[in-house]
Amino acid sequence: MNNQIIKIYMKKTLMAFVLLMLSSGWLMAQNPIIRDQFSADPTARVFNGRVYLYPSHDILPPDDYPRKDWFCMADYHVFSSDNLIDWQDHGVIVSQENVPWGNPKAYSMWAPDCVERNGKYYFYFPNAPKEGRGFTVGVAISDRPDGGFVPEPEPIKGINGIDPCVLQASDGNAYIFWGNGRCAKLKENMKELADDNPKEIVKWGNREMEMVGVHCLKGLPNRQAEGPFAFEYNGNFYLTYPYVRENTEVLAYAMSKHPMGPYEYKGLIMAEQPNGCWTNHHSIVNFKGQWYLFYHHNYYSPNDDKRRSACIEKLYFNADGTIQEVKQTLRGVGISNAFERIQIDRYSAISEKGACVEYQDTINTFKGWNTLLTDGGWIQYNDVKFDAEPQMVLVNARSEKGAVVRILVGKECVAKVNIPARGNFESTIQKLTTKISPLTADIRVELESGSVTIDYIQFCAQMPVVQTKFTADPAPMVYQDTVFLYTTHDEDDARGYAFKMKDWLLYTSTDMVNWQDRGAVASLKDFKWYDGDNGAWAEQVIERNGKFYMYCPIHGHGIGVLVADSPYGPFHDPIGKPLVWQKEHWYDIDPSVWIDDDGQAYMYWGNPHTYYIKLNEDMISTSGEIQQLPHIEDYQEGPWIYKKGVNYYLAFASTCCPEGIGYAMSDKITGPWQYKGHIMNHTYKTRGNHPGIIDYKGHSYVFGLNYDLLRLMTDEHSERRSVSCAEMYYNTNGTIQELPYFRENVLDPVATFNPFRKVEAETMSWGFGLKTKESVTFPKSIQLCNIDEGESLTLRNVDFGKKGAKKFTASIASAKAGSSIEIRLDHADGPLVGTLSLSNSPQATCKLKRPRGIHDLVFVFKGTAKTDLFLWDWWQMK
């Protein structure tokens, strides 16, 4: 697992992976919290256990906008989160074109607010009117907080100004604040000012005008005050607001015992922006017992302070109710998931020398930042949660001359990562040297030698079970003492959203962590009635009466069947035509077969509908008519039918996209089926999924697919998928416990691995960067190839016994001069127990330092030729 190098060209905001996250409405962030668009004047509110964020939406001025250096806002988005880390964009809720009274070309949709009262949500916003000058404030109403808002036909009479905020006070009344700190009471309908509001004559230059309400900031520091935000806490009313103390805005506050004052000035909440950004605008909210300050900064527009982005910090009160001044940070708030990308450039602490943060692209700043470490520099990122025990850490970085970084969790170094010399960003994966139990800890990255530019780090509990090819649509089968994992095969040159699939592969394991590549067991060429070269989609294999039946959909041409005398093949077509083909549509994909207790076999399949038909005992012909099930909630495709105990289960890929793994239950194989929820929920982490479920050696497992391997190579989307696996658990009532995403599940071995037998070199737990192919040098075998300097191959849970191993032999071909294999224990920098020097001889042998007991076994490849060092057939220890 050491030094597995994969090119990742950093195009964050343009890359399909990020676009996938954005298209599904999810944004992951520290500060700024919204990372695909500008989001100024953030008003946060808590509704139904979630934080809803209502910012204004800065945009670049269009060609017809007269001032290119001024604020420009045409609409409002709403975002929500249940953890302040992951923000869902619910889209546009109000735009200047759909406000009946507003100027549709004004681009003046400034700071808004939203409150709930009596089951309705009231969204208050300023806008320029169609007639006249200045601003007025309107309200849009909905039955929900995330959309459906309908603007009232007229603005609120009596309000001329910007930046509305509504306070629902403990006296039962609602008060609206706006402009430079004016306040008035609202009627119960929340759409009009109350009739009993005070009025006063206000002079404006040579003019006098009647104003409703009171000026709450009168007599207080209020130069160019705006953006009032009021709230109530512990019997005190707080009026917080930006004003210009010297040249740019600070956030200040005053306190009172009454919502309309008088207010007493108390001081600052936040000082001026450190980079001179002119404005700040904010809100304050209590979420799950913690107070937070939402504010904005021009992080994504460093040379233009009219394009701003929302940020969050924790806020604290003193015992007397006053507010402690808040310092801006890049880290922001929230607990980050160790198994997500950790953008360490959003740091909590940084060394005074040898560390800095720089834009990836000074033109397209939404691409984010990198961390540059030199001269022993370090950077720290706090509050990272490990829900499971990670096995690896990934560092995405580049280095001109190579570098070594240390990864610390808390105060303990858990990995030392060698970053090779490369001009482009690449991922280096290192197995951890120290066990990390579930905890929340601070992460520090320290430079030991060289210099390096880091984009992100990420921990993994596991990665896909096969790394040498792209595999999808897992169809596991337990036969005798072995798991046979049949998969489809995404070709390495597949591009975009087009599938390129020509054959079906097989992998086997007896311990669930080490898998042997058995090669292709069938292909489209086995179906003589099909003359295409693409479309080998999700298959399943089942055994009956000593024969093995493979049900293979050929996209657009129905479902065929192959048969073999061995689970390893060879498979052949016994009927010379499709077993099932509904020619009126293309729904005939993803077959799954189960033989019921009475011997009757059934085949399920279909996308987007679910079909089934009875199979005859010969398993290659059908009985009766095709039946279509009533729609099962959240069903998309990929059914997996099985029985456990008295319950029948229908697992499936849930509604695309992104797909999760859902399931339904029944007391009969033909239904009716009752939807029960998710085995694994929808997640932006994988666009697709496809379940396969087995019981093996006292454990239950669910297999699925994802793009994790592809993401190590590129963030540009391609249909190059990988099979992963997680242990699955049933409740006492037969329902299935929902699992986190594959990468966060620890997959433990269920048996030890025997190194004292002939082991095919294509057997591994981890070998990213390596490839396998059918051998020409070694007849009728699979060989390991694409072996480069610094790469490695790992096998888990290898039992060397009490006496240990004293000799290692390998069958090698085409070895380049200066090539060798280091044999190490536990990890790629672990104890060296032997070194195998390679030559032109077909076999090579070396002595071992008698490793004993159970360890992970790591082969580290060395060679002066750097690439394609040798071909490897098998190895054995004695």
Side-chain angles (χ1 to χ4, degrees):
M1 297 181 194
N2 188 35
N3 297 336
Q4 306 299 318
I5 309 305
I6 319 98
K7 293 183 179 179
I8 299 182
Y9 298 96
M10 302 313 300
K11 300 177 181 177
K12 285 186 179 175
T13 54
L14 303 178
M15 294 181 296
F17 177 55
V18 173
L19 292 177
L20 173 61
M21 289 190 284
L22 302 183
S23 66
S24 59
W26 288 96
L27 303 161
M28 300 183 302
Q30 294 81 45
N31 280 337
I33 60 172
I34 308 301
R35 308 190 82 171
D36 72 323
Q37 59 190 277
F38 298 115
S39 53
D41 311 318
T43 295
R45 296 294 188 183
V46 178
F47 302 128
N48 306 316
R50 290 181 68 87
V51 175
Y52 287 81
L53 184 67
Y54 301 89
S56 58
H57 183 197
D58 291 338
I59 60 173
L60 296 175
D63 292 338
D64 60 350
Y65 193 67
R67 288 192 61 178
K68 306 304 181 188
D69 63 342
W70 196 241
F71 305 104
C72 186
M73 299 100 127
D75 56 32
Y76 297 102
H77 285 239
V78 60
F79 304 83
S80 73
S81 175
D82 61 2
N83 59 11
L84 304 183
I85 291 286
D86 307 306
W87 290 91
Q88 183 175 3
D89 183 354
H90 298 280
V92 173
I93 55 172
V94 175
S95 66
Q96 62 184 8
E97 291 84 6
N98 68 355
V99 177
W101 53 266
N103 183 344
K105 295 284 189 178
Y107 297 95
S108 297
M109 309 199 82
W110 289 16
D113 192 13
C114 186
V115 297
E116 182 273 335
R117 193 174 182 96
N118 299 325
K120 295 286 187 180
Y121 294 87
Y122 298 86
F123 180 74
Y124 298 88
F125 60 95
N127 195 13
K130 287 182 179 178
E131 304 294 337
R133 301 176 61 186
F135 284 83
T136 54
V137 171
V139 59
I141 304 172
S142 177
D143 294 324
R144 65 182 205 269
D146 60 354
F149 288 94
V150 178
E152 290 290 293
E154 297 293 337
I156 299 175
K157 185 178 180 180
I159 298 181
N160 295 290
I162 60 173
D163 304 347
C165 166
V166 173
L167 166 68
Q168 299 193 81
S170 55
D171 64 5
N173 294 311
Y175 299 85
I176 186 166
F177 295 76
W178 72 93
N180 64 351
R182 196 152 203 92
C183 174
K185 187 166 61 175
L186 287 168
K187 288 184 177 180
E188 181 64 25
N189 66 13
M190 303 293 284
K191 301 186 293 183
E192 300 173 274
L193 298 184
D195 296 331
D196 60 350
N197 277 303
K199 298 178 181 179
E200 62 176 324
I201 301 298
V202 176
K203 290 186 177 181
W204 188 270
N206 295 324
R207 293 184 298 163
E208 290 186 350
M209 62 186 74
E210 184 179 73
M211 302 286 286
V212 180
V214 297
H215 184 196
C216 294
L217 296 181
K218 188 175 183 179
L220 307 183
N222 67 2
R223 179 186 171 204
Q224 298 181 30
E226 60 176 345
F229 186 85
F231 66 98
E232 183 179 1
Y233 176 56
N234 278 353
N236 294 310
F237 291 93
Y238 294 79
L239 180 54
T240 65
Y241 60 98
Y243 83 97
V244 176
R245 182 171 62 171
E246 294 180 0
N247 298 313
T248 60
E249 289 183 343
V250 297
L251 296 181
Y253 75 106
M255 295 173 62
S256 176
K257 291 297 182 181
H258 190 276
M260 297 182 74
Y263 280 90
E264 180 183 355
Y265 181 77
K266 292 295 184 180
L268 296 187
I269 298 174
M270 181 175 282
E272 289 88 350
Q273 304 272 24
N275 71 335
C277 178
W278 174 28
T279 67
N280 204 341
H281 193 112
H282 68 297
S283 59
I284 295 171
V285 67
N286 187 302
F287 182 56
K288 297 182 179 179
Q290 172 66 54
W291 287 90
Y292 295 95
L293 171 68
F294 288 73
Y295 64 100
H296 71 219
H297 192 287
N298 63 327
Y299 283 119
Y300 285 126
S301 184
N303 300 316
D304 177 5
D305 60 5
K306 310 305 186 295
R307 265 34 84 185
R308 298 138 315 161
S309 298
C311 302
I312 320 176
E313 307 293 348
K314 290 181 179 179
L315 181 141
Y316 297 94
F317 293 86
N318 297 310
D320 62 356
T322 56
I323 299 173
Q324 297 178 18
E325 187 174 334
V326 177
K327 303 295 184 183
Q328 295 187 18
T329 71
L330 297 176
R331 173 62 181 87
V333 301
I335 306 297
S336 293
N337 186 345
F339 301 103
E340 305 282 358
R341 292 182 177 184
I342 302 171
Q343 303 289 164
I344 59 173
D345 51 75
R346 307 294 86 193
Y347 58 81
S348 304
I350 192 169
S351 58
E352 292 185 2
K353 296 181 180 180
C356 66
V357 171
E358 58 187 14
Y359 285 99
Q360 289 193 15
D361 188 328
T362 57
I363 303 299
N364 184 1
T365 55
F366 283 109
K367 290 183 179 181
W369 298 266
N370 295 323
T371 299
L372 176 62
L373 298 179
T374 60
D375 301 323
W378 57 265
I379 197 163
Q380 183 168 310
Y381 185 101
N382 291 350
D383 297 330
V384 177
K385 187 176 184 181
F386 295 83
D387 282 325
E389 180 184 337
Q391 303 294 318
M392 297 170 276
V393 65
L394 179 154
V395 178
N396 186 260
R398 69 183 178 199
S399 177
E400 289 186 8
K401 297 182 179 180
V404 178
V405 297
R406 290 158 40 91
I407 309 297
L408 283 75
V409 176
K411 296 183 179 180
E412 187 167 10
C413 180
V414 299
K416 185 183 293 186
V417 184
N418 295 301
I419 310 295
R422 288 287 197 273
N424 295 315
F425 280 94
E426 306 166 340
S427 286
T428 301
I429 298 177
Q430 172 69 60
K431 185 182 176 185
L432 301 183
T433 58
T434 301
K435 180 178 180 179
I436 302 175
S437 300
L439 83 167
T440 298
D442 301 337
I443 305 299
R444 179 177 288 209
V445 180
E446 299 178 346
L447 183 68
E448 183 172 293
S449 62
S451 63
V452 65
T453 302
I454 300 174
D455 180 26
Y456 65 87
I457 69 170
Q458 182 176 4
F459 293 86
C460 306
Q462 63 153 314
M463 290 294 279
V465 298
V466 177
Q467 307 92 42
T468 54
K469 290 185 175 72
F470 291 107
T471 56
D473 308 313
M477 177 188 72
V478 177
Y479 181 67
Q480 296 179 348
D481 193 41
T482 300
V483 176
F484 290 78
L485 176 60
Y486 299 90
T487 75
T488 53
H489 178 199
D490 291 336
E491 296 290 339
D492 285 1
D493 58 351
R495 293 291 184 270
Y497 291 88
F499 296 99
K500 190 173 183 181
M501 307 163 72
K502 300 182 178 183
D503 53 17
W504 292 275
L505 308 179
L506 172 62
Y507 299 85
T508 60
S509 178
T510 57
D511 56 23
M512 293 300 296
V513 294
N514 300 300
W515 295 87
Q516 181 178 344
D517 185 345
R518 301 286 183 166
V521 293
S523 75
L524 293 172
K525 295 178 181 179
D526 293 310
F527 295 100
K528 304 304 181 185
W529 46 268
Y530 177 68
D531 60 1
D533 65 350
N534 193 7
W537 285 26
E539 82 302 336
Q540 188 183 4
V541 175
I542 191 168
E543 183 270 338
R544 185 165 195 168
N545 298 329
K547 291 195 178 289
F548 298 86
Y549 299 89
M550 176 183 284
Y551 298 88
C552 305
I554 300 175
H555 191 217
H557 292 76
I559 298 172
V561 59
L562 302 173
V563 64
D565 294 324
S566 163
Y568 302 101
F571 286 87
H572 69 276
D573 183 357
I575 60 175
K577 61 180 181 179
L579 176 65
V580 167
W581 188 4
Q582 300 176 91
K583 295 183 179 180
E584 65 272 20
H585 55 65
W586 287 45
Y587 301 162
D588 298 332
I589 63 170
D590 301 350
S592 179
V593 175
W594 182 259
I595 302 172
D596 207 5
D597 298 339
D598 62 1
Q600 177 63 59
Y602 295 81
M603 183 172 73
Y604 273 69
W605 74 94
N607 174 355
H609 305 300
T610 315
Y611 304 96
Y612 76 85
I613 196 170
K614 291 181 179 180
L615 298 179
N616 292 320
E617 188 172 356
D618 63 10
M619 304 296 285
I620 60 173
S621 60
T622 62
S623 175
E625 299 297 321
I626 294 174
Q627 304 296 317
Q628 180 179 330
L629 292 179
H631 179 70
I632 299 170
E633 181 180 345
D634 210 20
Y635 176 90
Q636 180 69 55
E637 60 181 344
W640 185 270
I641 181 78
Y642 70 102
K643 184 180 184 182
K644 184 176 177 67
V646 298
N647 297 310
Y648 292 90
Y649 295 84
L650 183 63
F652 50 83
S654 51
T655 308
C656 186
C657 289
E659 292 180 337
I661 298 177
Y663 77 105
M665 294 174 63
S666 178
D667 58 3
K668 294 189 299 183
I669 194 170
T670 55
W673 294 96
Q674 183 179 4
Y675 175 72
K676 292 295 184 179
H678 283 96
I679 300 172
M680 188 172 291
N681 209 340
H682 302 264
T683 171
Y684 68 86
K685 299 169 191 174
T686 178
R687 183 175 185 271
N689 222 318
H690 189 107
I693 295 173
I694 57 170
D695 285 344
Y696 183 61
K697 294 186 177 180
H699 302 264
S700 296
Y701 297 95
V702 57
F703 291 77
L705 64 84
N706 53 52
Y707 299 79
D708 285 354
L709 213 62
L710 176 67
R711 297 298 167 238
L712 297 180
M713 302 170 64
T714 177
D715 279 344
E716 294 181 359
H717 182 79
S718 296
E719 292 300 340
R720 286 179 272 167
R721 301 159 294 174
S722 299
V723 169
S724 288
C725 179
E727 188 166 357
M728 192 175 78
Y729 305 93
Y730 293 87
N731 298 309
T732 54
N733 64 355
T735 57
I736 301 171
Q737 297 178 21
E738 186 173 319
L739 296 172
Y741 181 62
F742 287 111
R743 205 165 50 224
E744 301 172 36
N745 292 276
V746 176
L747 196 60
D748 291 321
V750 294
T752 57
F753 189 90
N754 177 13
F756 300 108
R757 58 184 175 89
K758 182 179 177 182
V759 179
E760 295 298 324
E762 63 274 12
T763 306
M764 67 191 75
S765 172
W766 182 256
F768 188 68
L770 306 173
K771 289 290 185 180
T772 60
K773 64 180 181 180
E774 292 188 8
S775 175
V776 176
T777 307
F778 311 106
K780 295 183 179 181
S781 69
I782 306 295
Q783 67 182 13
L784 193 68
C785 59
N786 202 47
I787 300 170
D788 296 339
E789 157 72 24
E791 293 181 336
S792 61
L793 183 154
T794 299
L795 293 110
R796 290 181 61 189
N797 212 42
V798 178
D799 189 355
F800 296 98
K802 294 181 179 179
K803 294 183 178 180
K806 60 182 181 180
K807 187 170 72 171
F808 176 79
T809 300
S811 177
I812 301 292
S814 304
K816 293 181 179 178
S819 298
S820 63
I821 302 174
E822 292 182 351
I823 305 161
R824 294 182 177 270
L825 300 182
D826 300 322
H827 51 85
D829 292 326
L832 180 67
V833 297
T835 299
L836 184 70
S837 298
L838 306 181
S839 65
N840 291 327
S841 174
Q843 287 190 15
T845 300
C846 71
K847 293 181 178 180
L848 298 177
K849 298 178 181 179
R850 286 191 176 271
R852 294 175 172 84
I854 298 175
H855 297 271
D856 288 353
L857 175 61
V858 186
F859 299 113
V860 181
F861 307 120
K862 301 292 184 179
T864 56
K866 301 299 183 183
T867 61
D868 297 321
L869 301 180
F870 57 93
L871 303 174
W872 196 2
D873 186 21
W874 58 265
W875 61 268
Q876 186 172 10
M877 292 184 179
K878 292 184 179 180

